Amino acid sequence: MSNGFSRTQIEHVVRDILLARLGDKSAQPNPLVVNISARHVHLTDEHVEVLFGPGAKLEPMRDLYQDGYYAATQTVAVVGPRRRMLPDVRVLGPTRNASQVELAFTDGISLGIDLPVRCSGDHHDTTGCVLVGPKGVVELTAGVIRAERHVHMGPADLAYYGVADGDRLQLRIESEGCTTTLEDLLVRASDDVKLEVHLDTDEGNAVSLDRATKVELIVPHAKSSDCACKH
């Protein structure tokens, strides 16, 4: 039964409650972490078995920053339309409902793919590729993307910054000779996530992220909740 409130109204109420509980609105509830998301592949259970053999499961090798996510021991080769190949591309777990390949802009140049910038899971008007594993081959008809820069936020972070899922922020990175402000950082909200920004390899290298002395999220004056991507 509908309660008569829109999702936006409910989010504003939740933020107000959280801010009241936090008390000191100037105190950031969680540390800001900015990580580079290198090229990787997400697979369905079916494609795991095709690529790695009947009954195969993803084997965790290293935990990622977000709880429950991991880099698997398995890798695949990604083959583009020019028959150029990226070998040993890491598979990330857990498995998903649709397989997806996330590459940087320069990876797309190497493979001969004009990578569209998409939020994860948005495969409309995207190209495919061929995935080669030790036991089989999968031909994807879509799902090869350049993941747009984004920040994962939980309820306390949304309240602190005064934003909602789908809003856009700016990220200022201070590093010697490379200080930059990146715009159009997509807010991706979920209840059980840590505050974390994901940039691709090209973006991280361009701003010399590994030598950054300060990172800061900036809320622009105008916000727009226009992203319809599914998490």
Side-chain angles (χ1 to χ4, degrees), residues 59-199:
E59 302 170 359
M61 177 185 71
R62 173 177 55 85
D63 290 335
L64 301 180
Y65 185 67
Q66 297 294 336
D67 294 336
Y69 294 85
Y70 57 89
T73 59
Q74 291 98 326
T75 63
V76 296
V78 177
V79 183
R82 295 179 181 174
R83 296 187 179 180
R84 295 180 180 177
M85 179 181 67
L86 293 174
D88 301 324
V89 178
R90 185 68 54 189
V91 178
L92 300 188
T95 54
R96 292 190 174 187
N97 293 328
S99 292
Q100 176 175 291
V101 179
E102 297 184 31
L103 305 174
F105 178 73
T106 49
D107 293 328
I109 294 174
S110 297
L111 291 177
I113 297 176
D114 184 11
L115 291 174
V117 178
R118 296 281 187 272
C119 35
S120 183
D122 181 359
H123 296 169
H124 82 277
D125 296 330
T126 60
T127 189
C129 68
V130 173
L131 303 178
V132 181
K135 299 294 184 180
V137 174
V138 168
E139 182 175 359
L140 299 181
T141 58
V144 183
I145 66 170
R146 177 183 173 191
E148 63 180 309
R149 61 182 74 112
H150 58 275
V151 55
H152 294 281
M153 286 188 165
D157 305 308
L158 296 172
Y160 175 77
Y161 288 100
V163 296
D165 186 55
D167 283 346
R168 302 282 174 168
L169 298 178
Q170 298 173 358
L171 176 69
R172 178 174 171 80
I173 301 170
E174 296 183 11
S175 55
E176 185 177 358
C178 296
T179 295
T180 306
T181 298
L182 298 175
E183 300 184 355
D184 296 326
L185 186 75
L186 174 67
V187 174
R188 298 184 59 189
S190 186
D191 289 338
D192 300 314
V193 297
K194 301 174 184 177
L195 181 62
E196 181 188 21
V197 170
H198 279 164
L199 305 178

Side-chain angles (χ1 to χ4, degrees), residues 196-210:
E196 181 188 21
V197 170
H198 279 164
L199 305 178
D200 69 23
T201 307
D202 291 344
E203 292 169 328
N205 290 339
V207 300
S208 192
L209 182 61
D210 60 340

Side-chain angles (χ1 to χ4, degrees), residues 208-221:
S208 192
L209 182 61
D210 60 340
R211 298 184 180 181
T213 56
K214 182 180 179 181
V215 292
E216 178 185 12
L217 285 175
I218 300 171
V219 182
H221 294 300

Side-chain angles (χ1 to χ4, degrees), residues 41-74:
V41 174
H42 299 282
L43 296 174
T44 63
D45 289 326
E46 176 187 358
H47 287 167
V48 169
E49 293 202 48
V50 172
L51 292 165
F52 302 104
K57 303 290 184 182
L58 292 184
E59 302 170 359
M61 177 185 71
R62 173 177 55 85
D63 290 335
L64 301 180
Y65 185 67
Q66 297 294 336
D67 294 336
Y69 294 85
Y70 57 89
T73 59
Q74 291 98 326

